[in-house]
Amino acid sequence: MLLGTMLVLLLLGGAGPASAHAAVRSTDPADGTVLKSAPRYVTLTFTESVALLDDSFRVFDPTNHRVSTGEAQHAGGRSDTARVTLPAKLGKGTFTVAWRVVSADSHPVSGAFTFSIGKASPTTALLDPGQTEDPATGSLYNIGRYVAYMAAALLIGTLAFAAICRPPDFTPLRKAVRAGWWTLAGATVVLLVLRAPYEEGTSPATAFDMSALSRTATGRPGLLLLTRLALLLVAGALLLLLRRRATPPGRPVLAAGAVLAVGLALTWAAAEHASAGIQVPVAITSSVLHLLAMAVWLGGLTALLTLLSRTAEPVTVPTATVTRFSRLAFASMTVLVVTGVYQSWRGLGSLQALADTSYGRLLVTKLAAVTVLLLMAALSRQWTARLATVEVSEAVRERVPEPVGARPALPETEAEPEPAAEPGDESAPPTRTSPASPSSPSPLDVHRALRRSALAEVAVAVAVLGITTVLTGTLPARAEAAAAADGSAPAVGIQTASVTVVPFDVGPGRQGKVQITLDPGRVGRNSVEAVVYGPDGGLSTVPELRVSLSLPAQKIGPLDTKVTNRGGYWGTDSLNVPIPGTWTMKVTVRVSDLDQVTVSKTVRITR
């Protein structure tokens, strides 16, 4: 139930469409350029390696006819490029290129741009429905990823808790281990089946196409998922050996489990950002350690709470078990902090990006939440130390012998009063004191306090994992800076038209509107100006404004306008709208570090 609640909160906090992590570094021909003669190839260069699809490129001429092209391939064998061969005779006018690839972190990314031959023409290209992210497929795939992530924590963490912390009875934890194994295996099968429609942007109904499954089995994400299933089968065999045992796993099983845990973690690390960019070997090692530390800490904490919630008496969970987990959790948190700092530096690139990019601001929020989490973990360690102290005091009190000839203690209601001592009577017995102060907590009280502290720790961890989920779907600042430095074409285009007023409401006293002007509001290059007005109708300043455009009817976008603050308004002069149509404009207004709102409105782009 605990993990189920965490999963629901994670989905509510981060189930939106993930931003692809591969950004376009450059296009050849460049977006919006006018050429004297037809190019031989269309080439895109990305900030990280990408995988190609069967239909990665769609090229349309000015009359909306699809141009016959060659097979998509990597230029010069470089995995960070995508190239397609064009026919020798293209004719004159403006051509539209729609593309779709899969970035190194396994997320598909798409976009569109135009180039002209001879001179620009008012293109009539209306792209046929092509591949884009199907909402049902995307949601199911993301749910599968989250379930697999949490199931891995439950499986690995519970077994690590049993092997290292050595509770006297492993029986209460068997159900958690079985649940983790079956859930992870089921989620992996779902991810494997949905992989092809997720990459191609098709509906879940196409998941069982044999050709799609065969393509998935030969791609890197598919091979890693198959490897994960194979490792789970071996782990399942080990679990069968433990089925009849009521004691924690022995050393041979522990060693085999450690190897399997590292292998499972590698199936995530090799399919995500660690596999591309700078310092790949170090990044993969860091990612594996980060995932394992998270699993040991979170899964172990769940196992501890399982034992604490089942006990009516404190002796059921020995202090030694709790103390061992406290040390294990501290080591896990240390690994999480060290690897997290490295991964943050690798994705951030510079301190300035902390304030200037969405990735940096999310990272600051996560660091604040992690600080609170560390404080909660420290509180749990204090209760663990107090539990040991209380139990030692109880043991010492029980071992103190009664004086020879002492009368048995009477019930509290029948206790005889101590005789009053006469002044100066040195033979009067001293006043007896209770071995333990009435205010001293019992072991059971400390157990309850520890349980509450651990639950609070889990609650903060939910927030941290929710922020992490959003962070993994955000373009890293280093990749964003690299694309901007090279003058990249839009990785996911942008568009809006004419004058559009978008009202927004973030809360009491935080209403307003954004007036967005696109000039000339036609196909081709446009300038964008966005002015923010407050609730009183006067000009207002906001820390961040984002505008993007999508053309749902033609499966294009979202395209980011990349407007920047120009002192009084937000704008850009480099927007190129590839085709006419009714576009959906999405405006995100952030009014504070924590408050923002996203509003959508349709706009019309003419020829």
Side-chain angles (χ1 to χ4, degrees), residues 210-350:
M210 294 308 299
S211 61
L213 289 174
S214 62
R215 288 196 302 271
T216 298
T218 57
R220 186 177 66 170
L223 288 173
L224 290 170
L225 290 173
L226 290 173
T227 302
R228 187 182 303 169
L229 280 177
L231 292 172
L232 283 174
L233 290 176
V234 178
L238 289 178
L239 292 177
L240 289 177
L241 296 176
L242 301 173
R243 184 176 57 181
R244 297 183 179 274
R245 299 181 58 179
T247 58
R251 289 185 179 181
V253 178
L254 175 61
V259 173
L260 289 172
V262 172
L264 287 172
L266 277 171
T267 63
W268 270 278
E272 298 180 351
H273 263 277
S275 61
I278 63 173
Q279 302 178 354
V280 171
V282 178
I284 289 181
T285 302
S286 174
S287 181
V288 168
L289 292 175
H290 198 81
L291 178 60
L292 290 177
M294 178 281 304
V296 169
W297 167 69
L298 184 56
L301 186 62
T302 305
L304 177 62
L305 287 173
T306 300
L307 296 180
L308 289 174
S309 63
R310 293 173 59 92
T311 176
E313 296 295 334
V315 294
T316 306
V317 184
T319 302
T321 298
V322 180
T323 303
R324 292 187 192 107
F325 177 71
S326 178
R327 296 167 182 164
L328 179 63
F330 181 79
S332 298
M333 291 299 294
T334 302
V335 173
L336 282 171
V337 170
V338 173
T339 55
V341 168
Y342 169 75
Q343 292 175 359
S344 299
W345 167 81
R346 188 171 181 265
L348 201 61
S350 66

Side-chain angles (χ1 to χ4, degrees), residues 20 99-101 108-112 131-133 491-493 555 557-559:
W99 53 268
R100 184 180 181 88
V101 295
V109 53
S110 60
Q131 58 268 35
T132 188
E133 180 173 321
V492 279
K555 310 294 185 180
L559 308 177

Side-chain angles (χ1 to χ4, degrees), residues 487-544:
S488 70
V492 279
I494 74 135
Q495 278 66 42
T496 128
S498 193
V499 177
T500 304
V501 177
V502 182
F504 65 88
D505 187 351
V506 184
R510 295 184 175 183
Q511 302 86 4
K513 63 182 179 181
V514 183
Q515 178 178 296
I516 302 175
T517 303
L518 188 143
D519 186 22
R522 299 194 298 268
V523 170
R525 187 171 295 276
N526 287 260
S527 63
V528 181
E529 292 184 0
V531 182
V532 183
Y533 296 93
D536 59 354
L539 294 178
S540 178
T541 59
V542 293
E544 184 179 9

Side-chain angles (χ1 to χ4, degrees), residues 34-67:
V34 179
L35 307 174
K36 294 182 179 180
S37 59
R40 191 70 184 94
Y41 306 97
V42 169
T43 305
L44 280 73
T45 303
F46 296 88
T47 56
E48 63 181 41
S49 61
V50 296
L52 304 178
L53 304 172
D54 290 343
D55 202 22
S56 279
F57 285 94
R58 292 174 295 145
V59 182
F60 294 83
D61 65 19
T63 61
N64 194 32
H65 290 92
R66 184 165 180 175
V67 177

